[in-house]
């Protein structure tokens, strides 16, 4: 595999840090120690669907092709991206599982 030119590597690093900064800010709202303000609640109500859109977008891009490989990664499906998302979404210690269980139990 070719190594990246230092300028390109720096640009990728900056892009990655910029993306992490957005995620850090989103996480900061949720982990804020003080009582949530109305603005925090409004932000969370907007932010949660935005984060779900990001996850759905990743899963949409990494769908399986008829031949059994990921259409983006071209590795065997489930590809590493889908495997990671699956592990995080189905982790019983995260809220995704608790939410589904709560809705299912209410039916
Ligand atoms: Zn993939």
């Amino acid at each position: 595999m070719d190594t990246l030119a230092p300028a390109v590597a720096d640009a990728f690093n900056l892009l990655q840090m910029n993306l992490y900064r957005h995620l850090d800010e989103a996480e900061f709202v949720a982990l804020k120690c003080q009582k949530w303000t109305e603005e925090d609640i409004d932000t969370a109500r907007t932010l949660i669907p935005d984060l779900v859109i990001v996850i759905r977008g990743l899963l949409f891009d990494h769908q399986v092709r008829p031949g059994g490989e990921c259409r983006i990664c071209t590795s065997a499906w489930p590809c590493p991206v889908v495997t990671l998302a699956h592990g995080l979404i189905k982790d019983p210690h995260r809220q995704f599982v608790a939410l589904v269980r709560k809705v299912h139990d209410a039916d």
Side-chain angles (χ1 to χ4, degrees), residues 45-64:
R45 284 191 177 164
T46 306
L47 191 58
I48 291 169
D50 286 350
L51 291 170
V52 170
I53 285 171
V54 170
I55 296 167
R56 281 187 201 277
L58 288 171
L59 291 174
F60 181 80
D61 278 350
H62 292 268
Q63 291 181 39
V64 63

Side-chain angles (χ1 to χ4, degrees), residues 17-31:
M17 287 173 47
N18 181 270
L19 291 172
Y20 283 142
R21 171 128 193 250
H22 288 286
L23 295 174
D24 288 346
E25 291 298 327
E27 189 176 47
F28 176 76
V29 171
L31 299 177

Side-chain angles (χ1 to χ4, degrees), residues 1 18 43 48-49 62 71 86 99 101:
M1 181 177 184
N18 181 270
T43 299
I48 291 169
H62 292 268
R71 70 180 190 167
H86 177 267
L99 275 171
R101 191 174 299 135

